[in-house]
Amino acid sequence: MRFTTPPRPLDITALFPQLAPLARTATRLHPRPGSPTVHDSSVGGPLRWPADEPWPYCDEPHDSRASPVVHSPDDVRLVRRVRAASAERLHLDPGAAQWTPEELDVLERIKAGRPWSDGPVPLLPVAQLYARDIPFPCPPDADLLQVLWCPFDHAEHASPKAALFWGSSATVTDVLDAPPEPPVIQSEHYLPEPCLFSPEQVTDFPNPLELDEELSDQLDDESRWETVDPALYSSYADDPQELYLTNLCHAPGWKTGGWTRWDPTDPVDRPCPECGTEEIPLLTIVSSEWDGAGVTWIAAEERPTPAQPVPGARDGNFTLIDIVGDHNLQLHACPADPSHPHIELIQ
């Protein structure tokens, strides 16, 4: 199924023509649960990883005190299947028992957790993007981006640490069948639910914090918004920049390109660690596709009632990923050479 973003509630460039030159194209990815293969662009699916190439590991130390109870990826998958079975049963019969005795046994057994495991940790697949499906900057001779992460918090930003791998799909004819998995992971929210993408190009505008002072002041000027439909504007009358930020600025959700989201921090410079070129948004990994303040971004095909995510997720969270309490992990790449070291931002 294809998903499309509804037209914005108003043409912001008609009110503020100075924004028009600042528009950037972003690609919303609209991940939805599915059964991806190595040939698909996906979240949490199998990777087209060369059989003769070593699987990457994280060799950094991990603090067992941060999460005393840990589970294996298979434990997490089993719990999700139990939740899905319960949700389906209650959907068919609201009076049915939430859990069967067998399900309760499974949940109780897994609740106890697994022993903490020391040593290097195999990275988990997070996303695979083919350039034929999704536009994003690639190094020369590459058409494939694979994102993996260590499923434990790292000191830099108390979230999984990502690793980017670039490749040419044409050269990968022998694919690794059974990559290693971590014996345990710190949180079930660090194991992505397998999803397929429905890419859609949209227009992004800068966060208010990235606008010059003159344009920012104009956005704050209530008189400039008098022509806007009161039904849309009334709740934002005291803070018109909030209307711009939540409904007109940059698209939420998984996406490539576009503008950087800044919240809770102010904008910072992002010079490439190797050449100093200012890095640009490559891939945004999110905890949900929309929130209560930005319901105008819900896909047209899912209105008026948004599609239900998999059991255990919040509204708009189909991948079951949670980044530091509903934040985003934004991966930035060097436009001069995307193979240069990337920059990660939690916003």
Side-chain angles (χ1 to χ4, degrees):
M1 183 174 179
R2 309 303 297 178
F3 295 95
T4 52
T5 300
R8 293 301 78 216
L10 60 94
D11 180 2
I12 189 63
T13 60
L15 283 179
F16 304 96
Q18 306 96 312
L19 282 171
L22 303 178
R24 289 182 182 176
T25 298
T27 302
R28 296 190 80 189
L29 300 179
H30 298 297
R32 296 295 184 273
S35 300
T37 72
V38 297
H39 305 291
D40 295 311
S41 295
S42 67
V43 173
L47 302 184
R48 190 167 181 162
W49 191 271
D52 59 355
E53 186 172 322
W55 190 259
Y57 283 71
C58 177
D59 296 319
E60 296 185 16
H62 303 101
D63 186 1
S64 61
R65 295 169 298 178
S67 184
V69 178
V70 292
H71 302 93
S72 72
D74 281 341
D75 287 343
V76 174
R77 295 183 184 107
L78 179 54
V79 167
R80 290 177 181 176
R81 290 196 296 271
V82 168
R83 290 174 182 162
S86 172
E88 178 66 15
R89 183 169 57 250
L90 291 172
H91 175 72
L92 296 174
D93 179 9
Q98 181 177 10
W99 310 111
T100 67
E102 294 77 14
E103 290 168 346
L104 285 173
D105 287 344
V106 169
L107 295 175
E108 191 63 27
R109 172 176 58 82
I110 291 178
K111 181 180 179 181
R114 299 266 182 172
W116 184 272
S117 178
D118 295 322
V121 176
L123 300 190
L124 271 176
V126 177
Q128 176 169 265
L129 281 66
Y130 283 91
R132 65 167 190 256
D133 303 324
I134 301 163
F136 56 90
C138 291
D141 302 323
D143 67 345
L144 182 63
L145 169 61
Q146 294 167 327
V147 180
L148 299 88
W149 67 22
C150 174
F152 291 88
D153 287 347
H154 284 254
E156 301 96 312
H157 38 52
S159 73
K161 183 177 182 180
L164 275 56
F165 298 89
W166 304 92
S168 170
S169 58
T171 64
V172 184
T173 55
D174 189 9
V175 177
L176 183 64
D177 287 332
E181 282 198 331
V184 293
I185 60 178
Q186 181 170 327
S187 168
E188 67 171 287
H189 300 298
Y190 295 167
L191 179 68
E193 182 73 8
C195 290
L196 291 164
F197 290 131
S198 174
E200 175 210 12
Q201 291 194 331
V202 296
T203 300
D204 259 13
F205 293 101
N207 185 288
L209 296 172
E210 296 204 77
L211 301 176
D212 61 44
E213 184 177 356
E214 178 183 0
L215 184 50
S216 180
D217 288 344
Q218 291 178 8
L219 281 175
D220 265 337
D221 183 355
E222 296 175 20
S223 66
R224 298 290 296 262
W225 297 82
E226 290 177 350
T227 59
V228 176
D229 180 359
L232 170 67
Y233 176 63
S234 60
S235 61
Y236 296 95
D238 295 331
D239 190 3
Q241 273 204 21
E242 187 68 16
L243 171 62
Y244 170 75
L245 179 63
T246 56
N247 292 281
L248 306 169
C249 183
H250 33 56
W254 283 72
K255 67 180 182 180
T256 59
W259 282 89
T260 303
R261 168 181 169 175
W262 297 105
D263 178 23
T265 71
D266 289 343
V268 296
D269 293 333
R270 288 141 289 156
C272 171
E274 187 161 326
C275 70
T277 304
E278 185 77 358
E279 296 207 350
I280 59 175
L282 172 65
L283 175 66
T284 301
I285 299 170
V286 305
S287 304
S288 59
E289 187 161 315
W290 66 80
D291 59 26
V295 294
T296 64
W297 294 103
I298 298 174
E301 293 77 8
E302 294 175 330
R303 290 171 171 266
T305 303
Q308 291 299 312
V310 290
R314 298 178 309 281
D315 288 346
N317 182 1
F318 298 91
T319 66
L320 292 181
I321 288 174
D322 186 3
I323 303 292
V324 197
D326 205 23
H327 282 80
N328 296 345
L329 173 59
Q330 299 179 92
L331 308 179
H332 288 68
C334 175
D337 186 345
S339 68
H340 286 175
H342 71 281
I343 293 173
E344 299 182 16
L345 294 176
I346 297 292
Q347 296 292 332

